[in-house]
Amino acid sequence: MKITVIGGGPGGLYFSLLAKKRWPDWQIDVYERDPIDNTFGFGVVFSDETLGTFKQYDTPSYEAIRRSFAYWGEVDVHYKGKVLRYDGNGFCGTSRFTLLRLLRDRAAEVGVDIHYQRDVKLEDFPDSDLILVADGINSGTRTRFESHFGTRIDFRPNKFIWMGSTKPLESFNYFFKETPHGAVVAHCYQYEPGKSTWIGEMGQHVYDGFGFEHMGEEEALARMEEIFADELDGHKLQSDILAWRNFPHITNDTWVMGNAVLVGDAKASAHYSIGSGTKLAMEDSIALYEALKQHGTVPEALREYDTTRREEVERIQHAALVSLGWFEHMDTHFSLEPEQFAFSLMSRSKQITYENLRLRDARSIDRIDDWFAKDLASKGYAVDTAAPVPPMFQPIGIGGMQLANRVVVSPMAQYSAVDGNTTDWHFVHYTSRAMGGAGLVFAEMTCPTLDGRITPGCTVLETEEQMAGWKRIVDFVHTNTPAKMCMQIGHAGRKGSTQLGWEESDVPLKQGNWPIMSASPIPWVEGVNQVPREMTRADMDAVTERFVNSTGLADKAGFDMVEAHMAHGYLLASFISPATNRRTDEYGGSVENRMRFPLEVFRAMRAAWPASKPISVRLSATDWVEDGLSEDDLRAVAEMLIEAGADLIDVSAGQTVPDQKPVYGRMFQTPFSDFVRNETGAKTMAVGNITTADQVNTILASGRADLVALARPHLANPYFTLQAAALYGHEQTQWPNQYLTAKNQAMVLAGREREELIELKLASRPGTHEVKAEETAEAAE
Ligand SMILES: Cc1cc2nc3c(=O)[nH]c(=O)nc-3n(C[C@H](O)[C@H](O)[C@H](O)COP(=O)(O)OP(=O)(O)OC[C@H]3O[C@@H](n4cnc5c(N)ncnc54)[C@H](O)[C@@H]3O)c2cc1C
Ligand SMILES: Cc1cc2nc3c(=O)[nH]c(=O)nc-3n(C[C@H](O)[C@H](O)[C@H](O)COP(=O)(O)O)c2cc1C
């Protein structure tokens, strides 16, 4: 085998040494265009977990890495004059220069031929069996063949710059600064004694405000030194390739072209805020090496690499996108108090949660619980600040409604109504969810009229009879549980007159369809659904009047809160989204115009609803399509609703157009709740693939929402909250008297289960790779 490697970065070198070690007969040549020891950059970081992997594959290079790296366990968040420390993180850093030198030495030791100052291209190697394209983030090879690789580069909006300093740092540090132009952060860590990496980052508006665009290198560094004067403590900043850049998020549809294969940054980039570019490049090399070990031929091995490695890379890239998104919204998070801000930062990429942070550093969780309780106490809540409970069990007031905890049963259509009337199904379904301990239980989308239904199984709240059905449920809940109930009122619009949820969802009825209407005459699916009639002013008046009627009946039924359903593409949502509202009158066009009718309905509902009771609005924060609702639109929509008297914004997403491209994942809609809450100051509810008590606590502790709604998990387990209370030993959560004998048993069993789980997790934690003092002494001997 003759293997050529283009690029002598960590990706190229690590593959070469692994392959040469295993197959000494293979000829492996690495071509690097720069001179030896001439590299850009400052430090690189690895986690304990990554070091564990390196140990498995090549002990000598692992040992060399381990011994030359600076090691730290703490992350310090500096913000508004406070330092919030998070321990137990297990990271190490060294200079890129040192890492490359030791990988190069090890590669040469096992027999790899490395050629420096050789700027090469694919065509230079017609007789190679395999060509590794490891030529970095600006890969010339990938660029030349980008249509083959299906390259996509998304330049992110924030500006950043890599810098170095002589400032010694004992831990990983985030220095956040409020400047007259907005938020600036430096991500900083020491990689060798007296040498630290400083990555400066800010939004475009801040960059423009400072006028960095027009500054030369010296002036720009001097300005950054001024911003971080306290932190630098007299030390200078330097930059070897001074360039403000926008981070390129790079993906490729395929990584293979004939016998050439992309690895490392050339193939996919990962934002520095998850510190994984070098790790990714070296793990790519491991994956390719494994594929070659398992498959006899190069094409088979490359196919394997391109499929099996992809999943992990996409997972990391997704985490990186979520993480960089947090920094893109730094200004938004500046409304948070230091404790919550720091927790929000730490939990940004979803890898770190309330529970796994407790395993790393229990004090940091005690600190956030403590802050959460004291913050509530300062707002007049009677909470225990001496022994604070996890955030999910903390009370909250929404308008005049007091909730015992922050878990919510999200609205879920049951498709089991008869002529809009609730049935025994609804009685059993809702009362059992309320008995399960959630602080608030939502009724399903209930329509103001029969022809406003999604399906013939949807509930309606138009008549006294329909009201009485709901009243029976609400009365039972209020008599037997501490739960509150919210009625969700919504008109189906263009998604109406379709089959039951478990039939062909969103497809018209086989017979008995009724006429439908929407903001614009655009069917849900062309050729499948009815073309809705464009609403006239008379339609608007009639619909508003029926919403008001339902609101009055909801009050009569005893509901504690009412919600206007303005999400998921139904009637009111169809006005809000530019993807579904094509009107040219005063109800279409600008966001103010698009909100005109939904606001009319909302104001009329507010007027018909007792002032002492809260009112909520559910929004789709994004349409998951280009040209859909923008972030600016979302802010404006939320602000208009708050101004009109909304007490809660229930932040959902999507389902407004059928060709949406949602980015699914754990808690995937929560960043929108974070945005609405911290941009507008509104109380928000997060929802969407939130499945564990740990996630609920993470969302609340980080200030991403005030309430957390779970839908599907509550179908499978009505007792989600009681079980979580048992898990956390939260005695105060009220169980129904009839079930009290189960409470003690559940608490004991759950407590035991929790301890076992913690032990298991602690045992499987990656071990530390720090060089111990005695090892250093041994080496000296
Ligand atoms: C200043 C800086 C600091 C960083 N800090 C960190 C960090 O702390 N942690 C982390 O995980 N990641 C960090 N990164 C990212 C990290 O450097 C990359 O993710 C990682 O180096 C990717 O490795 P690679 O082998 O794919 O590419 P690279 O390391 O970029 O190596 C590519 C090599 O190919 C060479 N080359 C390009 N074209 C040719 C050609 N035609 N012929 C021959 N040679 C060619 C280049 O000269 C270069 O040496 C940093 C990046 C920079 C720029
Ligand atoms: C069976 C079912 C019915 C739903 N009906 C409604 C509804 O009536 N109104 C509404 O706003 N959302 C409805 N949703 C959406 C949920 O409230 C929730 O936003 C969504 O399921 C995401 O949460 P989850 O991941 O916890 O399930 C429904 C979801 C399900 C699964």
Side-chain angles (χ1 to χ4, degrees):
M1 276 273 268
K2 184 169 161 29
I3 298 185
T4 298
V5 178
I6 303 180
L13 288 174
Y14 201 55
F15 172 81
S16 309
L17 83 83
L18 293 184
K20 186 70 184 175
K21 204 168 65 143
R22 163 106 188 177
W23 298 288
D25 297 344
W26 291 7
Q27 175 60 36
I28 304 182
D29 293 276
V30 177
Y31 294 89
E32 167 56 49
R33 71 177 166 199
D34 284 339
I36 191 164
D37 283 345
N38 177 10
T39 184
F40 62 87
F42 300 98
V44 295
V45 254
F46 296 126
S47 67
D48 273 341
E49 211 176 348
T50 306
L51 287 180
T53 310
F54 294 165
K55 184 178 184 184
Q56 230 182 302
Y57 279 89
D58 184 52
T59 312
S61 60
Y62 157 78
E63 281 296 339
I65 290 174
R66 189 169 83 99
R67 286 172 189 279
S68 65
F69 270 52
Y71 192 95
W72 68 86
E74 304 90 16
V75 173
D76 286 336
V77 182
H78 305 251
Y79 172 75
K80 292 190 178 168
K82 278 199 174 174
V83 184
L84 289 308
R85 171 158 286 198
Y86 290 86
D87 210 342
N89 292 286
F91 277 105
C92 67
T94 192
S95 69
R96 178 174 159 94
F97 178 87
T98 305
L99 177 70
L100 287 181
R101 204 189 51 212
L102 62 88
L103 289 178
R104 177 189 79 208
D105 290 351
R106 176 73 182 133
E109 186 183 294
V110 296
V112 175
D113 289 319
I114 311 176
H115 314 270
Y116 285 93
Q117 291 179 277
R118 292 286 305 277
D119 193 335
V120 295
K121 51 185 187 309
L122 278 185
E123 295 85 327
D124 298 338
F125 310 100
D127 59 344
S128 289
D129 298 300
L130 171 64
I131 306 176
L132 230 76
V133 180
D135 53 358
I137 204 149
N138 298 318
S139 169
T141 317
R142 183 198 64 219
T143 309
R144 280 174 57 216
F145 301 103
E146 63 182 12
S147 57
H148 169 85
F149 290 116
T151 308
R152 273 184 294 272
I153 306 182
D154 170 17
F155 284 97
R156 304 302 309 183
N158 270 10
K159 288 283 184 191
F160 76 98
I161 180 171
W162 292 98
M163 298 171 294
S165 174
T166 48
K167 165 77 185 170
L169 296 168
E170 282 175 4
S171 52
F172 191 105
N173 290 271
Y174 291 105
F175 296 117
F176 288 93
K177 296 300 239 185
E178 258 173 316
T179 76
H181 307 294
V184 180
V185 63
H187 311 233
C188 307
Y189 55 93
Q190 178 163 304
Y191 56 89
E192 273 173 12
K195 287 184 179 170
S196 47
T197 294
W198 289 60
I199 306 167
E201 178 175 353
M202 64 193 72
Q204 180 75 42
H205 59 290
V206 186
Y207 177 83
D208 291 342
F210 276 105
F212 279 118
E213 179 84 36
H214 310 292
M215 287 183 203
E217 175 170 333
E218 254 177 57
E219 200 188 345
L221 289 176
R223 191 54 48 83
M224 292 300 276
E225 282 166 5
E226 263 168 46
I227 298 173
F228 293 105
D230 292 345
E231 292 73 17
L232 282 163
D233 201 16
H235 291 266
K236 308 293 279 177
L237 285 174
Q238 63 189 84
S239 176
D240 53 358
I241 33 164
L242 182 103
W244 287 97
R245 284 181 279 170
N246 292 78
F247 187 82
H249 180 78
I250 299 173
T251 55
N252 287 284
D253 291 340
T254 177
W255 302 337
V256 177
M257 186 172 71
N259 64 345
V261 59
L262 303 176
V263 298
D265 275 1
K267 144 209 123 279
S269 60
H271 192 250
Y272 48 79
S273 65
I274 59 164
S276 289
T278 305
K279 161 197 146 87
L280 264 189
M282 290 171 71
E283 288 179 352
D284 284 350
S285 295
I286 292 174
L288 185 59
Y289 162 78
E290 283 291 346
L292 280 165
K293 247 169 64 181
Q294 278 165 27
H295 296 275
T297 69
V298 167
E300 275 175 342
L302 295 190
R303 208 172 308 124
E304 164 88 11
Y305 165 76
D306 203 354
T307 46
T308 44
R309 176 75 183 136
R310 193 166 276 278
E311 195 177 310
E312 172 67 1
V313 168
E314 285 177 358
R315 192 186 62 76
I316 294 172
Q317 280 197 298
H318 177 68
L321 268 185
V322 179
S323 171
L324 66 83
W326 191 94
F327 288 97
E328 287 170 4
H329 291 96
M330 253 188 306
D331 289 284
T332 308
H333 294 112
F334 265 54
S335 61
L336 297 173
E337 293 290 318
E339 288 76 4
Q340 201 160 40
F341 178 90
F343 188 79
S344 171
L345 169 74
M346 293 301 290
S347 59
R348 68 190 179 278
S349 75
K350 304 192 282 192
Q351 320 284 56
I352 293 182
T353 64
Y354 182 84
E355 280 302 315
N356 63 30
L357 208 47
R358 187 197 295 281
L359 291 183
R360 292 173 188 216
D361 180 7
R363 279 169 313 175
S364 68
I365 293 303
D366 292 344
R367 185 173 63 214
I368 189 73
D369 283 353
D370 189 56
W371 174 83
F372 207 93
K374 287 193 175 129
D375 182 57
L376 285 175
S378 74
K379 292 171 180 152
Y381 287 89
V383 295
D384 185 353
T385 50
V389 300
M392 69 185 285
F393 300 112
Q394 292 288 16
I396 184 170
I398 308 285
M401 175 180 72
Q402 299 301 315
L403 300 178
N405 62 56
R406 292 162 184 249
V407 183
V408 178
V409 177
S410 200
M412 278 179 285
Q414 297 299 297
Y415 309 108
S416 303
V418 177
D419 297 330
N421 283 297
T422 54
T423 60
D424 283 353
W425 177 267
H426 297 93
F427 186 83
V428 172
H429 170 74
Y430 287 110
T431 53
S432 39
R433 261 97 215 133
M435 289 194 292
L440 177 65
V441 177
F442 267 72
E444 64 203 84
M445 170 166 141
T446 297
C447 311
T449 54
L450 283 170
D451 67 358
R453 289 176 300 174
I454 314 169
T455 75
C458 290
T459 46
V460 174
L461 191 48
E462 193 175 24
T463 65
E464 289 291 325
E465 185 191 357
Q466 287 157 351
M467 186 280 294
W470 282 112
K471 187 169 187 313
R472 189 167 157 252
I473 295 169
V474 177
D475 284 349
F476 180 95
V477 169
H478 284 163
T479 309
N480 294 286
T481 81
K484 305 288 185 212
M485 283 209 71
C486 176
M487 163 53 70
Q488 185 188 55
I489 305 177
H491 186 297
R494 71 173 183 150
K495 291 173 84 175
S497 190
T498 57
Q499 300 179 32
L500 303 188
W502 51 81
E503 295 172 352
E504 283 188 272
S505 183
D506 293 329
V507 172
L509 298 169
K510 295 208 166 74
Q511 60 211 25
N513 285 293
W514 57 85
I516 57 175
M517 58 185 164
S518 187
S520 296
I522 313 166
W524 174 248
V525 174
E526 193 84 48
V528 175
N529 296 82
Q530 290 184 60
V531 179
R533 140 175 122 252
E534 181 176 272
M535 276 183 92
T536 62
R537 185 58 246 180
D539 288 329
M540 292 182 203
D541 289 339
V543 166
T544 307
E545 192 274 322
R546 289 291 86 188
F547 265 87
V548 167
N549 175 56
S550 299
T551 306
L553 290 172
D555 181 37
K556 204 166 169 187
F559 281 97
D560 305 284
M561 179 161 87
V562 72
E563 175 169 280
H565 196 341
M566 299 197 188
H568 302 169
Y570 298 116
L571 188 73
L572 299 178
S574 74
F575 278 83
I576 300 174
S577 168
T580 50
N581 182 341
R582 304 274 163 74
R583 298 177 75 106
T584 51
D585 60 7
E586 66 267 43
Y587 302 98
S590 68
V591 65
E592 288 76 18
N593 280 2
R594 301 196 313 267
M595 277 302 286
R596 199 180 298 275
F597 176 57
L599 271 177
E600 257 180 47
V601 174
F602 180 80
R603 289 205 177 95
M605 287 173 73
R606 180 69 273 185
W609 186 244
S612 59
K613 289 189 184 182
I615 180 160
S616 158
V617 180
R618 178 166 263 206
L619 292 176
S620 282
T622 177
D623 299 310
W624 300 117
V625 283
E626 271 177 37
D627 306 326
L629 197 80
S630 69
E631 204 169 78
D632 285 340
D633 283 350
L634 174 61
R635 186 193 300 102
V637 167
E639 280 172 350
M640 284 183 244
L641 289 162
I642 296 157
E643 217 259 311
D647 299 282
L648 178 75
I649 307 290
D650 170 1
V651 190
S652 187
Q655 299 173 51
T656 49
V657 285
D659 56 340
Q660 62 172 1
K661 301 250 169 343
V663 185
Y664 286 118
R666 281 167 290 160
M667 307 179 270
F668 71 116
Q669 295 171 163
T670 303
F672 301 115
S673 166
D674 188 0
F675 176 81
V676 172
R677 180 179 192 268
N678 296 310
E679 278 281 310
T680 67
K683 287 200 170 82
T684 64
M685 180 161 91
V687 65
N689 213 9
I690 301 162
T691 54
T692 64
D694 180 23
Q695 292 170 358
V696 175
N697 281 318
T698 304
I699 292 166
L700 295 168
S702 58
R704 293 185 166 89
D706 299 278
L707 290 175
V708 178
L710 292 81
R712 290 164 299 167
H714 273 123
L715 291 184
N717 178 13
Y719 297 98
F720 176 86
T721 305
L722 291 190
Q723 281 179 352
L727 199 70
Y728 284 99
H730 186 251
E731 296 274 353
Q732 298 90 323
T733 293
Q734 193 178 321
W735 285 57
N737 287 339
Q738 294 83 342
Y739 295 176
L740 272 182
T741 45
K743 181 177 176 179
N744 280 348
Q745 187 189 41
M747 308 263 321
V748 171
L749 288 179
R752 215 177 283 155
E753 199 183 309
R754 182 175 160 79
E755 270 167 30
E756 280 169 14
L757 206 70
I758 290 174
E759 264 173 41
L760 256 176
K761 282 188 177 162
L762 285 175
S764 63
R765 241 182 3 176
T768 178
H769 300 266
E770 189 170 13
V771 179
K772 306 272 176 336
E774 59 272 21
E775 286 185 74
T776 316
E778 265 171 40
E781 282 165 19

